[in-house]
Amino acid sequence: MPLSPEQQAEIDHLRARARPTLRAVSEGMEKHLYRAHPVLDHGFVRAIDYMGDDSAIVQAARVSYGAGTKHVQNDEGLIRYLMRHWHSTPFEMCEIKLHVKLPVFVARQWIRHRTANVNEYSARYSILDREFYIPEPEQLAAQSSINNQGRGAVLEGDEAVRVLEMLKNDASRSYDSYEAMLSQEGQAGLARELARMNLPMNIYTQWYWKTDLHNLFHFLRLRADAHAQYEIRVYAEAIASMVADWVPLAYAAFEDYRMGGVNLSAKGIDCVRRMLKGEEVTQESSGMSKGEWREFMGVIG
């Protein structure tokens, strides 16, 4: 289970300590605070703290544009304008701090998003738990034959059973060796900082991850996308559901212009204009490479 009884008791205690505040409060995010959203087999995401709401974005924008803007556009219209024209700083006025429990290999992919403050559980100081990510059978897939970063067909039958057993056995054996090497209970073994190097990449770690809304949207655009690796995508989707409640106007604009929208190159726009005039455009006459043309046709159908 993602949460132990002790962890759940702590969450219940924190949620029971309601206090008055003069801060801007998002009712949508308040229902998520401290609560753990289960992800994968042992992971979770929970919001620890946040700052700002939709009104904070609008307030910051009107400081930069002048008070007159307030009489011209409503809040939703202004937020959509900011998103549409790639104005980033007003969205940076909102921040969120998350507690995430995730497999190490997911964390190493996640940490590439460097515009965040991160503090990770220390395996030099503490002993890691015996918890590993073991994929569900439907997530056991072969390497894609057309995408060097992606998955192909799902493994079936004896091959799926063989791979699943290898994952379970290797993880368990590595942890047994880790425990056996540790200096504890009078045993003169290895220091924790050395013993940890024998652990597999599917063991779980935890961290606090704090970022602003602009950079969080960038993370979600890449990691909540259907092409992202499943194991990080499910974390992004759990975060997205919280963000949608936290800043509903900003998230709706994000869904419309970033997740649901597309960017066309100058060549792509030229091809669309030629097609609208009735011209038959091919890959050869488009000026695009085969890869570009394939992506372009995927967008316009």
Side-chain angles (χ1 to χ4, degrees):
M1 294 293 292
L3 288 176
S4 67
E6 293 77 14
Q7 289 172 319
Q8 186 59 56
E10 179 189 2
I11 291 171
D12 293 341
H13 172 69
L14 290 169
R15 286 193 57 81
R17 296 170 57 196
R19 297 177 179 176
T21 180
L22 296 178
R23 291 174 49 187
V25 171
S26 167
E27 297 298 337
M29 181 53 83
E30 289 292 312
K31 70 180 183 181
H32 292 290
L33 270 184
Y34 303 118
R35 285 181 174 158
H37 296 261
V39 184
L40 299 179
D41 47 0
H42 299 293
F44 62 72
V45 175
R46 63 185 187 126
I48 300 298
D49 199 3
Y50 71 96
M51 181 179 75
D53 55 6
D54 279 323
S55 64
I57 300 167
V58 172
Q59 180 188 49
R62 286 175 175 150
V63 166
S64 60
Y65 291 154
T69 311
K70 185 173 182 178
H71 305 296
V72 179
Q73 294 177 289
N74 61 27
D75 289 358
E76 182 178 10
L78 177 54
I79 286 175
R80 290 181 62 82
Y81 175 89
L82 295 170
M83 185 69 70
R84 189 165 65 249
H85 292 276
W86 297 85
H87 291 285
S88 59
T89 49
F91 296 100
E92 293 172 3
M93 299 299 110
C94 295
E95 293 193 356
I96 189 170
K97 180 165 66 176
L98 301 171
H99 177 195
V100 188
K101 183 179 179 183
L102 68 173
V104 166
F105 75 93
V106 176
R108 298 302 162 256
Q109 187 178 36
W110 191 317
I111 203 67
R112 292 177 63 83
H113 296 266
R114 298 182 295 274
T115 49
N117 305 113
V118 185
N119 194 59
E120 187 174 359
Y121 185 92
S122 174
R124 295 183 68 195
Y125 180 79
S126 302
I127 298 174
L128 290 169
D129 293 329
R130 185 190 281 267
E131 290 184 318
F132 312 98
Y133 167 62
I134 303 298
E136 294 295 327
E138 61 268 22
Q139 297 304 328
L140 293 173
Q143 179 65 43
S144 171
S145 59
I146 60 173
N147 182 356
N148 290 333
Q149 296 188 94
R151 301 177 184 180
V154 174
L155 300 183
E156 297 179 350
D158 292 342
E159 180 67 1
V161 172
R162 182 182 73 89
V163 169
L164 201 57
E165 284 304 306
M166 288 174 64
L167 288 171
K168 292 177 180 177
N169 292 339
D170 286 353
S172 182
R173 184 170 55 251
S174 294
Y175 195 88
D176 288 343
S177 298
Y178 168 68
E179 277 192 318
M181 285 188 289
L182 288 170
S183 298
Q184 55 183 344
E185 297 179 359
Q187 174 178 289
L190 279 178
R192 293 168 186 171
E193 66 179 19
L194 287 172
R196 63 179 173 170
M197 67 184 176
N198 197 51
L199 291 168
M201 293 285 283
N202 65 334
I203 198 165
Y204 273 84
T205 185
Q206 299 184 43
W207 63 27
Y208 272 39
W209 192 73
K210 182 172 73 71
T211 190
D212 63 62
L213 184 59
H214 165 63
N215 285 295
L216 180 57
F217 276 154
H218 178 66
F219 172 85
L220 294 178
R221 184 174 66 85
L222 295 176
R223 303 305 183 182
D225 184 87
H227 298 94
Q229 181 175 345
Y230 167 78
E231 283 79 12
I232 196 169
R233 188 174 74 245
V234 288
Y235 281 93
E237 288 170 349
I239 295 170
S241 67
M242 289 190 281
V243 176
D245 290 335
W246 172 29
V247 282
L249 297 182
Y251 188 79
F254 166 73
E255 276 196 309
D256 195 9
Y257 292 115
R258 299 289 184 269
M259 297 299 286
V262 296
N263 291 319
L264 291 179
S265 66
K267 291 179 181 177
I269 293 172
D270 178 64
C271 287
V272 169
R273 287 171 175 163
R274 289 161 60 189
M275 290 174 175
L276 289 173
K277 292 178 181 178
E279 182 180 342
E280 182 178 350
V281 182
T282 64
Q283 184 260 314
E284 291 77 13
S285 65
S286 69
M288 300 182 192
S289 67
K290 290 182 179 179
E292 287 178 298
W293 179 255
R294 183 172 60 250
E295 293 171 6
F296 171 71
M297 292 306 293
V299 167
I300 68 169

